[in-house]
Amino acid sequence: MPVPWFLLSLALGRSPVVLSLERLVGPQDATHCSPGLSCHLWDSDILCLPGDIMPAPGPVLAPTHLQTELVLRCHKETDCDLCVRVAVHLAVHGHWEEPEDEEKFGGAADPGVEEPRNASLQAQVVLSFQAYPTARCVLLEVQVPAALVQFGQSVGSVVYDCFEAALGSEVRIWSYTQPRYEKELNLTQQLPALPWLNVSADGDNVHLVLNVSEEQHFGLSLYWNQVQGPPKPRWHKNLTGPQIITLNHTDLVPCLCIQVWPLEPDSVRTNICPFREDPRAHRNLWRAARLRLLTLQSWLLDAPCSLPAEAALCWRAPGGDPCQPLVPPLSWENVTVDKVLEFPLLKGHPNLCVQVNSWEKLQLQECLWADSLGPLKDDVLLLETRGPQDNRSLCALEPSGCTSLPSKASTLWDDDLGALWACPMDKYIHKRWALVWLACLLFAAALSLILLLKKDHAKAAARSRAALLLYSADDSGFERLVGALASALCQLPLRVAVDLWSRRELSAQGPVAWFHAQRRQTLQEGGVVVLLFSPGAVALCSEWLQDGVSAPGAHGPHDAFRASLSCVLPDFLQGRAPGSYVGACFDRLLHPDAVPALFRTVPVFTLPSQLPDFLGALQQPRAARSGRLQERAEQVSRALQPALDSYFHPPGTPAPGRGVGPGAGDGT
């Protein structure tokens, strides 16, 4: 139904271009083009099917710019419709390919080949127009004479009259050629709205004010405008006369639009979407958004409107720690509302959650699998990635990051497992030997009581510190020496862990898993890892640093030092070792300078000559005064001396060549 002229004048009267609006008489569409060009409009609309981009066979005409102008299509002198005139500017893109004969032999090509270069260019230009609820596509045929064909230059424009649209509607226009050689052009324009439809705010409420006559019957509809797919109706009602419709602010979302039309046959419908930039509407959109689990591997984002978002998995451990994003090795995935999304190689787990970000801000986080698989579990997440040549990389997720486990340890894991898998904590975390644990606790409690009775200033050291002792099992004599050192340290306020006391768990779990669990727990409790260097340990360190083949020699199944390097090296390479690691070696067995430079970024002590400093590094800060440290050093030295004598001077035999190896002492 044509809109009376006075309504158009009300809508356009404040527009600076109203005086230049051109009037078109008659309902027929038409086209015209720049001088020198010829153009023709197909008699009927076509299907809007852009198709795929194809390589250009040579020079082609391509749309370069869209330009619109509002005009009036009038059926009578005072009854006109608002219409959108579209001008498509064209240019010549591409070039002629060199003739094959001329390229190979450098001679002149067949004169017949030159003929297409002097021919005119033709193109079929499609204009696609959308303005809810209308969608149209028209086809324009354009021909450019050879004289105007200049590569990269504009040849003029073709103008289409015109697409009718309702007042207040948003129009979207695309242009491309058929076949399509380049990405389509697009343009969005908001048409003026009628002044009798206004939106006003009153506190938490929003008012839709319709100032129409008392006799006017009209329809009012609220709907969610969708970028893809049809609009979603929300509310509809037929009304009479002036009305004020009240909306709660919680109902506002950016895609909420209003449509008003007279209750007459073929009436023009006016659309307005006033909440696109409203901050409250954007906040409500995220409050209404929900993540919905479809299967154990697939889910989707459900929201009223389209929104820019990306999603990734995160791992949520019990205890209230923040959910740790699994990026990398996984990556953020773009999210489309109501489109199913799947993460590859994923099995459901209650600790796995989905995080949704928009403009680098976390908007949603839900643990989708918790409802079907139960509460959070005390599990450790292992991440596995595969390189281009099927190279594997493993790491264990911790609060401080993902600790790398080199591919040499991949034999621990099942080849059929995917990129993410969980390991139960009770199989991953080592349970200490109960008797040793109890003895250390009782000794620490007794020592604390004695210190309190003596009113010593060492009250701050009442809680013993955890220490993990790592060494290379060079031979049985060296293992006995390590056992004596560990036992001597256990007499201090230290909780010592060493593989000598955990052979059963070490065999059941494997060296890498056993060590990683011990290292993780020790560092989480603020403890210290002691690297006890020997000639064999130095050789293994050098082998790992050079990424070489295993050095010759027998290494028993309980040698945790070899396995421990897979987790120790990342801490040193990434600068996390200082404050958490110390080194040590025995006098007459190894000189500190023989320790690889990478490991000398932490203190390296010689024993027993530097026992006071070594014990000071092992204990909590301000745990004991220097005098007390000296007493403890003498106590450890006395306990260690018989083992040192037995190792370097076995009874009834000459002094063995214990110094054989890199940087060994001279035995004096």
Side-chain angles (χ1 to χ4, degrees), residues 469 484-494 496 611 614-615 618 636:
L469 187 59
L485 176 62
S487 299
L489 293 178
C490 245
Q491 299 176 21
L492 305 178
L494 289 172
V496 181
L611 261 176
F614 175 66
L615 297 182
L618 294 186
V636 172

Side-chain angles (χ1 to χ4, degrees), residues 218-551:
F218 61 92
L220 178 66
S221 175
L222 301 180
Y223 63 94
W224 288 343
N225 191 25
Q226 304 295 303
V227 174
Q228 296 180 348
K232 296 181 180 179
R234 304 298 299 167
W235 184 85
H236 168 79
K237 197 170 185 179
N238 294 333
L239 303 170
T240 302
Q243 293 284 342
I244 298 179
I245 310 298
T246 301
L247 302 177
N248 193 289
H249 72 97
T250 58
D251 298 328
L252 305 184
V253 290
C255 62
L256 180 63
C257 299
I258 306 161
Q259 187 179 79
V260 183
W261 67 97
L263 295 179
E264 300 175 3
D266 301 326
S267 59
V268 175
R269 300 194 175 201
T270 299
N271 298 273
I272 180 174
C273 303
F275 307 112
R276 283 196 181 95
E277 307 299 329
D278 193 320
R280 295 175 301 176
H282 284 273
R283 289 193 295 268
N284 291 339
L285 175 59
W286 282 110
R287 292 192 186 103
R290 292 291 181 269
L291 299 177
R292 188 151 53 92
L293 184 66
L294 302 179
T295 67
L296 284 179
Q297 288 81 29
S298 61
W299 58 277
L300 59 78
L301 174 62
D302 190 4
C305 316
S306 62
L307 40 79
E310 54 184 7
L313 286 176
C314 65
W315 179 264
R316 184 179 178 187
D321 291 333
C323 200
Q324 293 181 259
L326 305 183
V327 181
L330 300 183
S331 59
W332 289 98
E333 299 285 345
N334 292 328
V335 179
T336 302
V337 173
D338 294 334
K339 182 178 179 181
V340 177
L341 186 65
E342 293 186 0
F343 285 102
L345 303 176
L346 174 64
K347 293 184 178 180
H349 192 281
N351 295 30
L352 279 176
C353 307
V354 177
Q355 288 183 338
V356 179
N357 280 11
S358 181
W359 305 112
E360 299 184 355
K361 180 181 179 181
L362 179 62
Q363 299 288 357
L364 279 178
Q365 177 179 301
E366 292 189 26
C367 300
L368 300 178
W369 294 269
D371 292 339
S372 58
L373 300 180
L376 300 179
K377 296 183 179 180
D378 192 17
D379 287 356
V380 173
L381 184 69
L382 302 181
L383 309 180
E384 178 186 41
T385 58
R386 291 183 175 91
Q389 298 180 353
D390 202 29
N391 297 327
R392 294 186 175 188
S393 176
L394 287 171
C395 68
L397 192 65
E398 297 181 338
S400 59
C402 202
T403 301
S404 299
L405 300 176
S407 57
K408 291 185 179 183
S410 62
T411 53
L412 295 173
W413 323 125
D414 188 347
D415 291 344
D416 295 330
L417 292 175
L420 300 175
W421 56 285
C423 178
M425 186 69 75
D426 58 354
K427 295 182 180 179
Y428 187 73
I429 297 297
H430 165 61
K431 296 182 178 178
R432 289 174 173 81
W433 189 21
L435 294 179
V436 176
W437 172 261
L438 182 60
C440 290
L441 287 179
L442 291 175
F443 181 82
L447 181 61
S448 300
L449 180 60
I450 293 173
L451 293 176
L452 287 173
L453 292 176
K454 291 183 176 180
K455 298 182 180 180
D456 202 342
H457 293 288
K459 294 179 181 179
R463 185 180 183 275
S464 58
R465 192 181 191 189
L468 174 61
L469 187 59
L470 299 175
Y471 67 98
S472 172
D474 292 4
D475 51 48
S476 59
F478 187 72
E479 282 191 306
R480 288 193 294 271
L481 182 58
V482 172
L485 176 62
S487 299
L489 293 178
C490 245
Q491 299 176 21
L492 305 178
L494 289 172
R495 292 178 286 119
V496 181
V498 64
D499 67 338
L500 285 171
W501 300 338
S502 308
R503 289 291 169 82
R504 179 177 299 176
E505 292 86 351
L506 188 68
S507 298
Q509 299 177 15
V512 172
W514 182 88
F515 166 73
H516 184 71
Q518 293 294 330
R519 169 194 159 277
R520 181 174 183 265
Q521 185 167 352
T522 298
L523 296 184
Q524 283 184 345
E525 295 176 357
V528 61
V529 178
V530 180
L531 300 179
L532 190 57
F533 289 101
S534 64
V538 170
L540 285 174
C541 292
S542 300
E543 171 192 333
W544 273 96
L545 291 174
Q546 297 171 6
D547 197 24
V549 184
S550 298

